[in-house]
Amino acid sequence: MATKQITDASFDQDVIQADKPVLVDFWAEWCGPCKQIGPALEEISDELGERVTIAKLNIDDHPDAPVRYGVRGIPTMILFKGGVPAATKVGAAPKSHIKGWLEGEL
């Protein structure tokens, strides 16, 4: 299951109203660390896709949601459970750290 591209317009439907947890990766095209974790998030999506949706939101194209959730630096990953933020991780990390963090929060 690949990561899902979301927008400000689709945020409520794709994240807030989702029937399972959603990890939102706030990123930008110019962000080197964001590009470093991209492949890891794709792999995690394949591995944990039954338990969580991995979504990506480009902050340059869609600035409303990052402001609403206080995103100040990227990459920032926010795990939403039941439509509310449940956990936040800021900065790049190896796949094993991201997956371990996420599994501990699910």
Side-chain angles (χ1 to χ4, degrees), residues 35-85:
K35 290 183 176 185
Q36 287 178 329
I37 67 168
L41 291 175
E42 292 288 339
E43 291 175 17
I44 293 169
S45 180
D46 288 340
E47 295 165 11
L48 300 179
E50 295 298 317
R51 296 173 58 198
V52 63
T53 298
I54 310 287
K56 297 177 71 67
L57 185 126
N58 184 316
I59 66 163
D60 288 334
D61 296 338
H62 308 284
D64 294 345
V67 169
R68 187 175 354 156
Y69 293 102
V71 174
R72 301 208 186 285
I74 54 172
T76 291
M77 293 168 276
I78 301 177
L79 177 64
F80 288 81
K81 290 164 57 174
V84 296

Side-chain angles (χ1 to χ4, degrees), residues 5-11 25-30 56-67 74:
Q5 301 296 323
I6 62 172
T7 66
D8 279 334
S10 72
F11 196 91
D25 172 30
F26 294 89
W27 71 286
E29 198 64 49
W30 49 264
K56 297 177 71 67
L57 185 126
N58 184 316
I59 66 163
D60 288 334
D61 296 338
H62 308 284
D64 294 345
V67 169
I74 54 172

